[in-house]
Amino acid sequence: MENNTSLQQQLLEAGVHFGHLKKKWNPKMLPYIFAEKKGIHIIDLNKTVDYLQESAAAIKQIAKSGKKIMFVATKKQAKEIVTECAKRVNMPYATERWLGGMLTNFNTVRKSVKKMQSIEKMLADGSAESLTKKERLTLTRDKDKMEKVLGGIAQLGRLPAALFLVDIGHEHIALAEAKRLGITTFGMVDTNCDPNKVDFAIPANDDATKSIAIITNYIVAAISEGLAERQASKDEDETDDNNNENEARARRLEAEAQSEAGRGGRGRGAGAPAGGPGGAPKRRTPAGGGNRRPAGGGGGR
């Protein structure tokens, strides 16, 4: 990632430092305000850089652990940017409309997602061909309507570990649900919002397209790094497992070879021919002893 100087310059060029009118400010944003110019509060970019890097480090660890980070941005100027960034790292997102209970009533929302997926399957495999034209048109409309709202969370099988919000004031329902469930929250906070409502506040202009883009892309880059480190760790573990398996196999084969050698040596000793050390057969001794005299041999004396 960029060093602080170049990052601060990029934030300046993107207009991240422009806050709201002084009359619309939230007093709790005072520590993050650098000055006032022509009735507009100017955000301290030093604070923005610090909190942005802190948020990126935390969100990187969440991604590295394999958990999901959900992006929430239903403002017109943020929809396309956030959708594209979330898709890039395969994370869930809600950019059309936040359905009440999307987190607190997650099981019911999952049923709607499954219904949408079953309609998609029917239309794709030709099962809907047996229906009338009007029924197929109704199904298509229902699918399009559900996909517009639920398409971003279609692959979300369980509650996300964190939420990243653009304009926490605009996404107050999502923020309240996350707080109720104890989900970690990250958010772009402008001078008209309360930074204490989110776990990780990033003081920044949440209305300008360039400002939203640079902050969101920085967060997505951190997520990408976390996912890359997770994959590298998996590959390393697999390599270690394969090496251990190969070593165990080699030891097993060596033990079997030694066992075979031992059995072969014992077999040769048992099968040696009877006789002396040289293997020569013993001379047979006639019955009665070798000094026996022939019969009738002493009669001539």
Side-chain angles (χ1 to χ4, degrees), residues 15-21 40-43 190-192 204-205 207:
V16 175
H17 59 295
F18 290 121
H20 280 271
L21 293 171
I40 297 175
H41 277 133
I42 304 299
I43 296 170
D190 212 329
T191 56
N192 64 334
N205 179 357
D207 292 314

Side-chain angles (χ1 to χ4, degrees), residues 277-294:
K282 284 184 178 181
R283 176 184 283 180
R284 295 185 62 186
T285 304
N291 296 327
R292 184 175 179 181
R293 295 173 65 187

Side-chain angles (χ1 to χ4, degrees), residues 135-175:
E135 288 172 333
R136 285 200 304 272
L137 184 60
T138 303
L139 278 179
T140 304
R141 285 175 177 170
D142 289 343
K143 181 200 69 122
D144 292 341
K145 185 178 179 181
M146 286 188 288
E147 189 172 7
K148 189 175 182 181
V149 180
L150 302 172
I153 61 168
Q155 304 304 321
L156 186 64
R158 58 182 180 178
L159 287 171
L163 251 65
F164 175 78
L165 308 107
V166 176
D167 192 345
I168 63 172
H170 192 266
E171 312 298 346
H172 62 94
I173 299 175
L175 180 60

Side-chain angles (χ1 to χ4, degrees), residues 112-127:
S112 299
V113 171
K114 288 178 181 177
K115 181 181 177 182
M116 177 188 74
Q117 291 171 338
S118 66
I119 294 174
E120 287 178 348
K121 187 178 179 183
M122 284 178 62
L123 295 172
D125 62 12
S127 303

Side-chain angles (χ1 to χ4, degrees), residues 59 68-74 78-79 81-96 98 102 152-153 156 160 162-166 171 174 186 215-221 223:
I59 217 164
K68 294 290 186 182
I69 298 104
M70 186 173 181
F71 289 76
V72 183
T74 57
K79 286 181 182 180
I81 297 168
V82 173
T83 300
E84 181 186 345
C85 289
K87 285 181 177 178
R88 201 188 312 156
V89 287
N90 195 27
M91 290 294 174
Y93 59 91
T95 54
E96 282 300 324
W98 181 266
M102 191 177 281
I153 61 168
L156 186 64
L163 251 65
F164 175 78
L165 308 107
V166 176
E171 312 298 346
F186 300 80
I215 298 293
T216 307
N217 279 304
Y218 194 91
I219 293 295
V220 167
I223 294 174

Side-chain angles (χ1 to χ4, degrees), residues 29-76:
M29 280 296 292
L30 181 61
Y32 308 101
I33 294 174
F34 175 72
E36 175 198 339
K37 187 176 181 181
K38 296 181 180 179
I40 297 175
H41 277 133
I42 304 299
I43 296 170
D44 187 348
L45 288 182
N46 290 318
K47 297 286 182 68
T48 302
V49 169
D50 291 342
Y51 285 100
L52 178 58
Q53 291 179 339
E54 181 186 352
S55 300
I59 217 164
K60 176 182 174 180
Q61 291 303 317
I62 294 173
K64 188 177 179 180
S65 67
K67 297 175 182 177
K68 294 290 186 182
I69 298 104
M70 186 173 181
F71 289 76
V72 183
T74 57
K75 294 174 73 168
K76 183 174 68 174

